[in-house]
Amino acid sequence: EEYTLSATKKGVSICGGSPRAVLYGVQTLRQLIDGDRVPVVEIRDEPYFGYRGAMFDVARYFYPVEEVKRFIDIMALHKLNTFHWHLTDDQGWRIEIKRYPELTRIGSQRRETLIGHYKTSDEYDGKPHGGYYTQDEIRDIVQYAAKRFITVIPEIEMPGHASAALASYPYLGCKGEGYVVPSTWGVKADVYCAGNDSTFRFIEGVLSEVVELFPSEYIHIGGDECPKINWQ
């Protein structure tokens, strides 16, 4: 990822050990341009960290494809190389899973959204909020990021932060009924039931489609903030 940039009165040259490195040199050149002028300069640059990431949470608030791409463009400008895409949580399920269509039909929609801090406010906006990405849209975004040498790591939350999934398929929870996509924030006690074999079949089914969409080495499954109340 190391590159050199040389700007003289005769012109600009960028050299790197890979296409990725040359792209970073181009991004630096973009930052140097002042109108129609470029300063005379010699730059040798290499990253200190191999993993340079940014996280985009679309589970709480959905953003359309063009906004996601704009976020990726900003990452590329700053030479970041890992896009952590937070796709599922209590407040919304944003990725199409063909085996489980209710995840997007039900789990991608919430009735309204809390205004203010969840510990102090009881005011809501009264506006339905929702949206999700089709698998074709996800492939498009992954390809868009790859052209900018950015790897997309999806986050599929489990076993906690599962309210949107439970509202879609209530049998995945310990109670088996009464779940809704929350309009509030915070950690919820309703999580996937660890004592139900269908839970594991569901997770395997979801992940089998996720791994087909994302060529990244990793998938983030969260694993945090999982109250054990219902398990007990």
Side-chain angles (χ1 to χ4, degrees):
E1 293 185 315
E2 179 182 354
Y3 67 91
T4 59
L5 185 154
S6 177
T8 69
K9 293 181 179 180
K10 295 182 179 180
V12 178
S13 67
I14 297 171
C15 298
S18 68
R20 180 194 301 259
V22 173
L23 174 65
Y24 294 153
V26 172
Q27 298 290 28
T28 295
L29 176 61
R30 291 177 63 194
Q31 293 166 335
L32 290 172
I33 294 173
D34 182 11
D36 59 353
R37 304 170 66 186
V38 175
V40 173
V41 67
E42 292 280 343
I43 294 175
R44 176 180 173 181
D45 189 21
E46 60 180 309
Y48 187 81
F49 294 106
Y51 184 114
R52 303 180 303 281
M55 190 271 280
F56 199 18
D57 182 352
V58 297
R60 274 57 175 246
Y61 285 97
F62 177 77
Y63 290 83
V65 170
E66 291 309 312
E67 283 295 304
V68 178
K69 290 182 175 179
R70 180 170 176 267
F71 187 87
I72 291 171
D73 285 339
I74 294 170
M75 289 182 60
L77 179 64
H78 292 87
K79 307 181 183 72
L80 303 180
N81 61 12
T82 307
F83 176 33
H84 189 118
W85 202 6
H86 189 24
L87 288 165
T88 76
D89 212 294
D90 289 306
Q91 292 79 19
W93 185 284
R94 307 295 179 206
I95 175 174
E96 178 189 21
I97 302 296
K98 294 185 182 298
R99 285 180 178 84
Y100 300 104
E102 299 296 276
L103 289 172
T104 46
R105 191 182 75 83
I106 295 176
S108 69
Q109 308 290 324
R110 63 173 179 263
R111 186 178 63 183
E112 57 186 355
T113 303
L114 181 74
I115 298 174
H117 196 281
Y118 75 100
K119 289 186 177 180
T120 58
S121 176
D122 58 2
E123 182 183 1
Y124 294 83
D125 63 8
K127 300 176 182 178
H129 181 83
Y132 68 92
Y133 307 99
T134 67
Q135 293 194 0
D136 285 341
E137 287 173 330
I138 287 174
R139 291 187 187 96
D140 177 49
I141 289 170
V142 168
Q143 184 179 31
Y144 188 87
K147 289 180 178 178
R148 289 148 184 81
F149 299 98
I150 293 172
T151 299
V152 182
I153 294 181
E155 179 171 354
I156 310 296
E157 287 274 5
M158 62 182 80
H161 293 286
S163 297
L166 299 182
S168 306
Y169 294 97
Y171 69 84
L172 296 172
C174 295
K175 296 184 297 185
E177 60 182 2
Y179 304 110
V180 297
V181 181
S183 299
T184 60
W185 320 118
V187 179
K188 310 300 181 184
D190 290 322
V191 302
Y192 290 124
C193 181
N196 187 344
D197 287 346
S198 61
T199 298
F200 297 93
R201 288 193 292 270
F202 168 80
I203 290 172
E204 289 171 357
V206 168
L207 292 182
S208 67
E209 295 192 28
V210 170
V211 298
E212 292 295 326
L213 293 170
F214 296 92
S216 59
E217 182 179 358
Y218 297 104
I219 293 173
H220 185 203
I221 62 170
D224 64 334
E225 298 177 332
C226 180
K228 313 302 188 297
I229 297 169
N230 290 333
W231 290 356
Q232 292 166 354

